[in-house]
Amino acid sequence: MLTRRSMLLASAAAATLPAGLLARSAAAQTPANVLVFAKQIDDIISLDPQEAFEYTASELAGNVYQKLVTTPNSDPAKIEGELAEKWEAAGDNKTFTFTLKDGPKFASGKPVTAEDVAFSLTRAVAMNKPPAFIINQFGFNKDNAAERIRATDPKTVVLTTAEPTSLSFLLYCLSAAVGSVVEKAAVMSHAQGDDWGNGWLKQNSAGSGSYAVRQWKASESVVLEANPHSNVAPKIKRIIMRHMADPSAQLLGLQKGDVDIARNLVADQIKQIQNDPKFTVQFARKASLMYLSLNQKNPNLAKPEVRQAIKLALDYDGIQKNIVPTTYAVHQAFLPAGLPGAVTDLPFKQNIAEAKALLAKAGLADGFEVSFDYASAAPSSDIAQAVQANLAAIGIRLSMLPGEMRAVITKTRARQHDIAMLRWGSDYFDPNSNAEAYSINLDNSENAKNRTIAWRASWDIPELSARAIAAREETDSEKRTQMYEDLQRDHQKVSPFVIMLQEIEVSVARAGVKGFDMGPMNDRHSYTNITKA
Amino acid sequence: MSDTTSSPADLPPGGQPAGGRRRPSAFRLRFQAVSATLASIPITLFGLVLVTFFIGRVVPIDPVLAIVGDRAPQDVVERTRLELGLDQPLYVQFWRYLEHIVSGDLGRSVMTSNPVTQDIARFFPATFELASVAMIIAVLIGVPLGVLAATRQGKWVDQAVRLFCLAGHSLPVFVLGLVSLLLFYARLGWAPGPGRQSIYFEGMVDERTGILTLDAALAGDWGAFQDALAHLAQPSMVLAMFSLAYIARMTRAFMLGELRSEYVTTARAKGLSRRRIVWGHAFRNTAVPLVTVLAMTYAGLLEGAVLTETIFSWPGLGQYLTVSLLNADMNAVLGATLVVGLIYVALNLLSDLLYRLLDPRVK
């Protein structure tokens, strides 16, 4: 007889069926000298390091090219020479001389020369593609590049900046993917018109890193081959990165042994296999923040008490634990943990009473209504609902406007939002990247040239801007760090940005696959030391 | 993906392209000359481009954002806006686009940075391969099932077919796809995982047509051929399941209509064998409407099936169109939509031509 109990048992059995199916995975293996990544790679637009600014392309650039300097993931604040042996700043802090190492060789077998370095930096400046501003902010442009970026002999490069510049700021910027050194002869032999070889380098490579690009098929796969001449020879001969849009498919491939490292698993999948000895889960704090932008054009949000009340109304821990336990961490300062000078203490905890008192002080004891834009995809949508519930508790009613991520960005760029939930990744490994975005807005007019995040929130801050600029120009690096820490703490007290979470990048490898070195920036993920047992 | 080409009513749950659809005008059309159909092609395509173009311009995403990214300085943004001609009035932009199309230039895709024609030449063969195999499976199983159900109307066979079709039509493709992967790939190990080929063959076969099985066969690489075929099996069956259900239901309906006709009664009275009546008389008469159903089902499959392609990591037209749309990559969207439109027009034309062959009254 079909009892209620047997029905329950049957449905419970049905629910565990997929898990049972998964448990028995066969022992198919990828070849020993090939490493297979499963990753969403449809963000790649170009592989040209002087053009690419997307996550996956930056990561590839970090493995295919070398820069003058880089930062080790074990101690990200430290600067190390990659192509450069040593460097020095002249007394005026405007002339910087780099001496190259012996040893680095391009995939063609030719040694890396100062001429290649000067060419690459000039190329970034002259092409003026999206990441070029990282280099251009030192006063380079296509007219003065020839005299300010010079190879004085085969081993020496001299850079002349327009203004006195902090050495650490310059070095951190040169460590970005846009500072990758390409082989001049190889690139220019494929140049068409005045494209600087961009048409060819979009799909190919000419670098001295551990790997060389063998093939890229958009939304399908990227194949890298070891660079036989590299001074940082990799352990694995070939890397295949396969586009798998669906996280479930990535997990299946991993369990089945067709994939060595899965890169886009979601929180509950990670939870499911976290304690399974067959897999190694690796976490890395990413220089990417999730925050609320409160548009100062809205008269209610422009009140300082309201801004602080919103910061006190949110249940940061609850949101992190319940919605994004493995993929985000609570973080409340504009410099993400891992970057030099980041403030990691958490001054805001949910305090409804205090938040309500602040609202009352602002004359809004009954609350008010504002619109709320956010990306409709998970986990943004779930976090947005939690934010809505938290703010409702202090009387702020959000009218929810979910949209496609790019539509939300478009709206905030036009300053048409009230509150918007967004993500922001640092552009390069220097505190100035985020300090500039969040606290420099020198021209709050509609036609401003520099449209930082602060501008997008219509936040007029002449005094803070000056402080951020002073910090950027400070040549004493300890003092510089201190200035950034002070700036972040003051920012927390007044800013219209509710910084909530910092992204954590998670990769899951099959047991026996070791040595994938993950850093806070995408171009710091290194494949060089990966081994397979 | 069907949004631009079929009416919303055709969109079944799960967002898969509609299995197909009968144009009510089909029977009237067959009496018209092919030339009339030919003349309507440019008008249809023009309408398609017009609608897609203007939808693309009212999408609340800045196309410049898609190209230069969120980080570009304002001068780069402005420069790009000018380069794209986005400062011009809409009708000027549209006119320019038309001029380009006529000269065979669909522009460049932002997403892949390739010319759109080149992208389509790469993504379409993948979809074509998948859709064609799915179509063959769907026809080979769906048509006999429909006939079987019609001849056993009301019996348990009919009910079983009905249940099967209902399941095929209503089970969301992502469920079907994932369960199939779980079962045949993860658990049983009968089928290979997602993707078009195993990593061993990655980059080993020269691309000539872009249809992997064909390329492998042309290269005489039978290992790669087998591998490609094995990778095709799962996604094509999942895709076929959906179309199959529709084809079977339609076949059954057509057959029932014929079986009730007087000529069938006459044939029976004359003592013809059941097989002759069903296959020789009734089925031959359903061929005409069935051709339309099959042509439109095939066109629906050729649009690319987003969900199936996503689950099975199949780099096809559906994924290309969706990702382009989400990135406001309008050149790619317009180009791919045009291709889909052309497919519909071409298959329509083909089915019109087939009427002429199949229906002795149209001479």
Side-chain angles (χ1 to χ4, degrees):
Chain A
M1 200 184 93
L2 197 65
T3 61
R4 202 185 148 123
R5 190 164 170 189
S6 64
M7 280 278 281
L8 276 174
L9 271 175
S11 58
T16 55
L17 191 66
L21 287 175
L22 276 176
R24 231 191 63 176
S25 62
Q29 296 269 312
T30 52
N33 54 358
V34 177
L35 184 97
V36 181
F37 279 113
K39 189 176 190 302
Q40 291 161 1
I41 61 165
D42 51 359
D43 64 326
I44 305 178
I45 292 173
S46 164
L47 298 180
D48 185 335
Q50 269 90 44
E51 175 179 41
F53 216 178
E54 289 66 39
Y55 286 162
T56 309
S58 302
E59 178 175 321
L60 292 169
N63 287 285
V64 169
Y65 297 96
Q66 290 180 301
K67 286 96 56 177
L68 279 173
V69 290
T70 189
T71 57
N73 292 332
S74 50
D75 180 9
K78 195 176 132 200
I79 294 168
E80 277 182 353
E82 193 166 30
L83 289 172
E85 175 89 62
K86 55 183 183 164
W87 49 86
E88 61 179 339
D92 61 354
N93 284 314
K94 284 164 100 174
T95 310
F96 300 86
T97 308
F98 295 85
T99 310
L100 300 190
K101 284 182 187 171
D102 281 319
K105 285 199 177 85
F106 289 113
S108 66
K110 301 239 173 60
V112 179
T113 66
E115 185 63 33
D116 294 308
V117 177
F119 168 77
S120 305
L121 295 178
T122 307
R123 188 174 181 268
V125 171
M127 293 203 310
N128 203 14
K129 298 283 184 184
F133 73 93
I134 297 172
I135 305 289
N136 286 349
Q137 59 189 341
F138 298 102
F140 303 120
N141 59 46
K142 68 172 185 293
D143 301 319
N144 69 20
E147 58 186 82
R148 290 192 176 172
I149 303 173
R150 286 177 304 141
T152 51
D153 68 52
K155 287 266 162 255
T156 313
V157 182
V158 179
L159 303 182
T160 313
T161 59
E163 304 291 330
T165 301
S166 150
L167 176 65
S168 66
F169 180 38
L170 176 71
L171 293 178
Y172 283 136
C173 287
L174 289 175
S175 76
V178 68
S180 295
V181 173
V182 302
E183 184 178 1
K184 183 180 181 184
V187 172
M188 288 316 276
S189 68
H190 293 96
Q192 288 186 332
D194 55 357
D195 83 337
W196 291 84
N198 174 246
W200 179 76
L201 209 56
K202 269 171 191 287
Q203 319 225 21
N204 295 282
S205 71
S208 55
S210 303
Y211 289 95
V213 173
R214 178 177 157 146
Q215 185 187 57
W216 164 45
K217 290 191 196 167
S219 298
E220 191 170 345
S221 63
V222 178
V223 181
L224 303 181
E225 206 79 55
N227 168 4
H229 305 286
S230 176
N231 65 327
V232 281
K235 309 267 192 310
I236 300 264
K237 283 275 164 289
R238 191 186 249 214
I239 303 266
I240 296 179
M241 194 179 265
R242 296 198 108 181
H243 176 60
M244 289 197 184
D246 185 24
S248 313
Q250 291 194 6
L251 181 60
L252 277 181
L254 189 72
Q255 286 170 320
K256 192 71 186 153
D258 287 341
V259 166
D260 294 309
I261 302 181
R263 302 287 300 276
N264 304 100
L265 299 189
V266 293
D268 44 342
Q269 292 172 328
I270 293 163
K271 217 160 124 192
Q272 182 193 334
I273 57 171
Q274 207 165 7
N275 299 316
D276 189 331
K278 291 203 291 288
F279 307 103
T280 325
V281 184
Q282 202 179 343
F283 301 95
R285 281 257 187 156
K286 215 171 156 168
S288 164
L289 302 172
M290 189 176 283
Y291 69 97
L292 304 180
S293 164
L294 315 177
N295 193 343
Q296 299 300 291
K297 280 185 177 173
N298 181 307
N300 287 335
L301 298 176
K303 294 179 178 161
E305 297 86 358
V306 173
R307 303 201 291 248
Q308 295 311 99
I310 292 177
K311 288 177 196 169
L312 284 170
L314 299 184
D315 178 12
Y316 302 89
D317 289 331
I319 291 175
Q320 191 270 337
K321 285 208 182 72
N322 296 320
I323 305 174
V324 283
T326 48
T327 47
Y328 282 88
V330 176
H331 185 79
Q332 296 173 342
F334 68 68
L335 282 183
L339 253 71
V343 167
T344 50
D345 42 71
L346 306 169
F348 301 109
K349 273 213 154 36
Q350 190 179 36
N351 187 336
I352 300 290
E354 201 179 324
K356 274 186 167 167
L358 278 170
L359 274 191
K361 203 172 149 202
L364 292 163
D366 296 330
F368 56 94
E369 188 167 335
V370 280
S371 68
F372 183 34
D373 288 277
Y374 59 95
S376 52
S380 294
S381 50
D382 302 322
I383 296 173
Q385 283 179 16
V387 169
Q388 183 189 30
N390 287 164
L391 293 187
I394 62 166
I396 299 177
R397 297 173 295 280
L398 298 182
S399 53
M400 307 292 270
L401 298 173
E404 198 46 52
M405 190 64 209
R406 293 206 193 227
V408 178
I409 295 175
T410 302
K411 200 166 168 187
T412 55
R413 284 168 67 100
R415 309 207 277 190
Q416 287 166 346
H417 63 291
D418 284 330
I419 300 182
M421 188 164 78
L422 296 149
R423 285 201 292 176
W424 181 260
S426 307
D427 294 330
Y428 50 90
F429 197 80
D430 185 90
N432 182 59
S433 176
N434 276 21
E436 177 166 356
Y438 284 100
S439 56
I440 294 187
N441 181 18
L442 290 168
D443 174 6
N444 199 30
S445 70
E446 288 303 321
N447 300 316
K449 267 192 76 119
N450 196 3
R451 303 183 176 183
T452 57
I453 298 185
W455 179 86
R456 294 181 200 174
S458 319
W459 192 33
D460 200 5
I461 36 166
E463 194 240 351
L464 267 183
S465 303
R467 279 177 62 190
I469 291 168
R472 174 169 71 201
E473 287 168 357
E474 177 58 52
T475 49
D476 178 337
S477 67
E478 249 172 64
K479 203 169 156 203
R480 187 165 182 246
T481 305
Q482 186 58 47
M483 288 167 91
Y484 279 119
E485 284 175 10
D486 295 343
L487 197 60
Q488 287 168 80
R489 293 210 162 85
D490 292 342
H491 196 266
Q492 285 170 332
K493 288 175 199 145
V494 294
S495 81
F497 302 108
V498 186
I499 293 159
M500 306 187 291
L501 299 162
Q502 179 177 353
E503 205 175 332
I504 296 175
E505 180 151 4
V506 186
S507 79
V508 182
R510 293 196 298 113
V513 177
K514 294 197 173 69
F516 178 37
D517 187 15
M518 294 167 79
M521 305 285 290
N522 292 283
D523 55 22
R524 297 292 197 273
H525 293 335
S526 169
Y527 312 154
T528 308
N529 293 316
I530 299 181
T531 54
K532 283 171 71 170
Chain B
M1 275 354 309
S2 315
D3 316 40
T4 44
T5 45
S6 32
S7 64
D10 289 329
L11 262 184
Q16 284 294 333
R21 118 199 74 136
R22 273 188 74 192
R23 292 172 317 155
S25 62
F27 292 100
R28 197 189 39 179
L29 249 183
R30 62 184 166 153
F31 296 110
Q32 292 177 353
V34 185
S35 56
T37 321
L38 279 173
S40 71
I41 293 175
I43 301 169
T44 313
L45 291 180
F46 177 80
L48 191 62
V49 173
L50 187 77
V51 171
T52 323
F53 183 87
F54 283 101
I55 288 178
R57 287 299 184 265
V58 297
V59 168
I61 299 179
D62 184 355
V64 177
L65 178 68
I67 295 171
V68 299
D70 192 22
R71 309 306 167 81
Q74 201 52 33
D75 55 322
V76 177
V77 172
E78 293 303 333
R79 195 183 65 205
T80 314
R81 194 178 298 282
L82 291 183
E83 275 170 17
L84 289 178
L86 289 172
D87 53 327
Q88 303 284 333
L90 267 187
Y91 63 89
V92 177
Q93 293 181 33
F94 183 62
W95 180 250
R96 280 197 189 156
Y97 185 74
L98 275 187
E99 279 178 349
H100 283 282
I101 292 183
V102 172
S103 62
D105 175 15
L106 294 177
R108 246 171 212 283
S109 154
V110 174
M111 206 179 65
T112 63
S113 78
N114 295 325
V116 170
T117 39
Q118 199 180 317
D119 274 347
I120 290 173
R122 209 173 78 65
F123 288 104
F124 184 65
T127 291
F128 178 77
E129 189 178 31
L130 181 61
S132 301
V133 174
M135 188 64 197
I136 293 171
I137 298 173
V139 171
L140 287 183
I141 301 178
V143 172
L145 267 189
V147 173
L148 195 71
T151 52
R152 311 269 195 289
Q153 196 195 356
K155 307 259 172 52
W156 69 268
V157 178
D158 187 24
Q159 305 295 357
V161 171
R162 188 198 308 269
L163 195 71
F164 179 70
C165 291
L166 206 66
H169 212 89
S170 49
L171 256 185
V173 150
F174 58 88
V175 171
L176 210 58
L178 279 175
V179 167
S180 145
L181 266 182
L182 215 57
L183 191 65
F184 297 112
Y185 167 55
R187 163 82 179 177
L188 297 170
W190 292 355
R196 288 183 80 187
Q197 63 194 129
S198 299
I199 51 157
Y200 312 95
F201 295 103
E202 191 89 50
M204 302 295 277
V205 180
D206 281 343
E207 273 193 35
R208 279 185 241 187
T209 58
I211 300 169
L212 256 180
T213 42
L214 194 61
D215 284 344
L218 284 176
D221 187 343
W222 299 107
F225 176 77
Q226 228 174 14
D227 180 67
L229 207 60
H231 276 87
L232 255 174
Q234 272 197 94
S236 61
M237 272 194 252
V238 166
L239 205 55
M241 183 73 188
F242 189 81
S243 314
L244 183 162
Y246 183 70
I247 292 173
R249 296 296 294 162
M250 293 311 282
T251 310
R252 178 180 177 276
F254 295 148
M255 278 299 283
L256 281 180
E258 296 300 328
L259 288 174
R260 283 197 205 101
S261 309
E262 286 180 357
Y263 72 87
V264 171
T265 318
T266 315
R268 246 184 221 150
K270 280 172 71 183
L272 284 185
S273 73
R274 191 184 161 85
R275 202 167 136 196
R276 277 285 299 274
I277 297 170
V278 171
W279 292 103
H281 291 280
F283 182 69
R284 272 182 72 170
N285 282 324
T286 62
V288 172
L290 201 55
V291 160
T292 319
V293 168
L294 296 185
M296 289 303 102
T297 308
Y298 190 38
L301 287 174
L302 283 175
E303 281 178 359
V306 191
L307 290 175
T308 314
E309 285 172 8
T310 305
I311 290 167
F312 291 97
S313 306
W314 201 267
L317 202 62
Q319 254 200 67
Y320 179 65
L321 239 171
T322 320
V323 177
S324 307
L325 200 65
L326 294 183
N327 284 302
D329 186 353
M330 286 325 288
N331 280 343
V333 172
L334 280 164
T337 311
L338 258 183
V339 170
V340 172
L342 270 175
I343 292 168
Y344 268 94
V345 170
L347 282 169
N348 247 326
L349 197 66
L350 186 76
S351 63
D352 281 355
L353 290 173
L354 277 175
Y355 289 156
R356 261 158 257 281
L357 287 176
L358 292 171
D359 193 339
R361 287 169 296 183
V362 195
K363 277 278 153 74

